Amino acid sequence: MAAVNVCELLGESLATHPDQAKTILSRIEGLGVGIHKSQKLLSLLDKEAGQQALDGILVEVLSSTQEAVVSSALVALAIRPAPGVWEYIAVNVQKLFVEELPVAEYLRLKEEIVDGSSNGDFTLELDFGAFNNSIPRPSLSKSIGNGMEFLNRHLSAKLFQDKENLSFLLEFLQIHCQKGKGLLLNDRIQDVNSLQHGLRKAEEHLTPLPSNTPYSSFEKRFKEIGLEKGWGDNAEHVLDMIHLLLDLLQAPDPITLESFLGRIPLVTNVVIMTPHGYFAQDNVLGYPDTGGQVVYILDQVRALEEEMLKRFKLQGLDITPRILIITRLLPDAVGTTCGERLEKVYGTKYSDILRVPFRTEKGIVRKWISRFEVWPYLETYTEDVALEITKEFLGKPDLIIGNYSDGNIVASLLAHKLDVTQCTIAHALEKTKYPDSDIYWKKLDDKYHFSCQFTADLIAMNHTDFIITSTFQEIAGSKDTLGQYESHIAFTLPGLYRVVDGIDAFDPKFNIVSPGADMSIYFPYTEEKRRLKKFHPEIEELLYSPVENAEHLCVLKDRNKPILFTMARLDRVKNLTGLVEFYAKNSRLRELVNLVVVGGDRRKESKDLEEQAEMKRMYELIEKYNLNGQFRWISSQMNRVRNGELYRYICDTKGAFVQPAIYEAFGLTVVEAMTCGLPTFATCYGGPAEIIVHGKSGFNIDPYNGDLAAETLVHFFEKCKADPSYWDEISHGGLKRIQEKYTWQIYSEKLLTLTGVYGFSKHVSKLEQRGRKRYIEMLHALVYKKQVTTVPLAIE
């Protein structure tokens, strides 16, 4: 169903089947004045379908409707015919008249439902779509997340259509490689003609040389021509690069452009921003706001440094890269390294964690602060980080990568200040985690401060040069679910501002680059020689000890049963208590398997309100369902190496891993479990739905339908009991899926290539993007900074 035809199609349906249409639309109107979600609309449709055959077009339109706003005058529908595609229409039910509705008008109707009439008061409208004319964008949903491929076509066409534009490429090389670095070109190359002439001279000189001739043998001749080191380490590699650039200058094409930009030495110094939580390498996982993002970044850095060193070697450069993970210094984080300014990243030579404290006029802030309450500190923090970066690099970085909302707003401010290429990684945008957190933001702001967070997210996603997501669903969801970024296309914070075009899911800045698991820690249980069996006594103590204490609660009476295993932070979204409840209510599942939950830390009093609430619920479930004997609750385990062997130990029991989150942006624990060969059941909302091919490499479960999820598990374990080879089949399917798509090597190669392509695009479109930057500056100064003042400072 094409979005542009929805209004017209519905109009035809109303004219053709007026009585039927009026009946259904009257039922929607009968729901009363308010905002009604798709589930409610679908239940009305199902009820009506049980009584009569319905018109196909009407069914299709209403099935694609995500929301209906019923006002006194009309019914307004928000229709999503495809991921990332929206249309808004208004229906007069009595007259059966339908018309297109401007998005601003639709949002105004929502505001009136929540806040009452605005009486014509001015409302700030944010429209970033006004700046999207300079770069075309794809139109098919399947193209979402393949931004670099599309952008390369646009850039190469621009170079091809006007040869004058080739000067952009030369300027880019001069700015990013020549000045201050002395790479690729020297002052003998002044224009495109002299560049082509120099490249042909180089080609002529290299062609008769043996392929393995080292660069040093012809370095002097290259300097005379106007070329410097960085083309390659030997004649063969240098000639490959020379040919790529000659081809580009003669007839630009997208593949050649990507290859060339991906191979030039652009990135030496990298900053990775991640302010919140407890960021360290030991003894922190499971602390509030401290989980998969820490693991992701540490694995990312190791892979990135390795790839940079490999590229420098192939480029013939003796360069030392530097990667700084910048996080918050926590002076009072006892038992961790979070109070140390500088910490070397394990397994690297040139990567460090640099900790910078939050501070106020009264001095350094010592206590931990929730990710929802960091906003008042970030402006000063950015200035302090800029000074620290400059001291460490003796200059500025080549790439700044932001993580989560706080890291991304700091990355945006730094990239703006230093004029550096910026990459954004959301990990999880809170807007989709908390339904209606935009429209009812005033009710939630005292606790979550979403007005600050959503504004920071808007600034970051529009300022950044490129966005990395782990899955398609992060961007544009699926046929039935809304994407995290897609939820920012149009929304309103009543009384603050109205977003009529916040981001375009089709924007070519989006790229899907999936991470992997650390293969030195997570490897198949069948690799016996690599198994860390020294941990088995400790693991058996965790799982089977008859002692109940702060580390493990409840006992497992039957050690012969497989273990159903989960490990996550103990918060509402991770839904560990939801898993415990649907396990507890299914007597057959309890007979078949033991349940082991690793999450939360009962060894100390939690400061996190959500964790406190989930702990209370866990105790209630244990008592209500008499789980002792079949259930084990283990406090968070922070030894990643031992956790890797724990996954494999669960494999030995012929158990399974379950990830029951209400929503999961990616699902790193899913990848870890599958990499170890453990059959995996994971939420159908978010990234795991893409990682797992249902029934082949694992199973998707619906956390909102615990009874069905429990039956899916029962079916699996009963089938394994009857035919043990079925367990092996799913285990092997998971391993195959990981090897094909989810490795850090693939990730790091693509990240460096993206930096080259988007760095060049930024250079080419600098003038065209000036208006967008000014718009963002105003949003930052007039809205964001004002909202930040509403967040109270922590009391020391």
Side-chain angles (χ1 to χ4, degrees), residues 32 70 179 214 281 318 383 424 442 526 558 568 636 704 760:
V70 178
K179 293 174 182 175
Q281 300 176 84
D318 184 17
E383 294 302 315
T424 288
K442 290 177 184 176
T526 51
D558 186 352
S636 54
Y704 292 104
F760 178 55

Side-chain angles (χ1 to χ4, degrees), residues 2 20 50 74 148 177 197 229 322 337 367 385 667 676 706 789:
Q20 186 183 100
L74 53 81
M148 182 170 67
C177 298
H197 179 74
K229 60 189 176 182
R322 187 87 196 278
T337 55
K367 68 179 289 186
V385 167
C676 292
T789 63

Side-chain angles (χ1 to χ4, degrees), residues 259-322:
S259 297
F260 179 74
L261 292 173
R263 287 172 64 175
I264 57 179
L266 287 173
V267 182
T268 305
N269 296 325
V270 179
V271 163
I272 297 174
M273 289 303 316
T274 176
H276 76 262
Y278 294 79
F279 196 102
Q281 300 176 84
D282 299 304
N283 304 323
V284 294
L285 292 181
Y287 278 15
D289 294 342
T290 309
Q293 183 172 314
V294 173
V295 176
Y296 178 108
I297 291 170
L298 289 170
D299 289 348
Q300 173 197 50
V301 165
R302 279 186 279 267
L304 190 55
E305 181 184 290
E306 187 178 334
E307 180 62 22
M308 289 168 74
L309 288 168
K310 185 177 85 174
R311 290 191 179 204
F312 289 152
K313 186 174 184 299
L314 288 172
Q315 290 157 350
L317 297 172
D318 184 17
I319 291 178
T320 300
R322 187 87 196 278

Side-chain angles (χ1 to χ4, degrees), residues 10 216 233 261 349 376 472 484 770:
L10 186 57
S216 57
D233 59 340
L261 292 173
K349 290 183 179 179
F472 178 95
Q484 289 188 59
R770 202 163 71 179

Side-chain angles (χ1 to χ4, degrees), residues 612-659:
Q612 290 171 13
E614 289 298 294
M615 278 192 174
K616 182 174 181 289
R617 187 173 178 224
M618 190 77 84
Y619 286 122
E620 291 168 353
L621 289 170
I622 291 168
E623 186 174 346
K624 178 179 179 180
Y625 292 101
N626 192 25
L627 287 171
N628 201 351
Q630 298 166 313
F631 170 67
R632 182 79 151 182
W633 180 15
I634 301 172
S635 285
S636 54
Q637 298 299 302
M638 301 176 186
N639 186 332
R640 284 186 74 206
V641 177
R642 189 175 72 179
N643 286 346
E645 189 59 28
L646 178 55
Y647 282 119
R648 290 184 288 274
Y649 191 98
I650 304 298
C651 289
D652 296 337
T653 75
K654 297 302 175 186
F657 181 77
V658 60
Q659 206 275 30

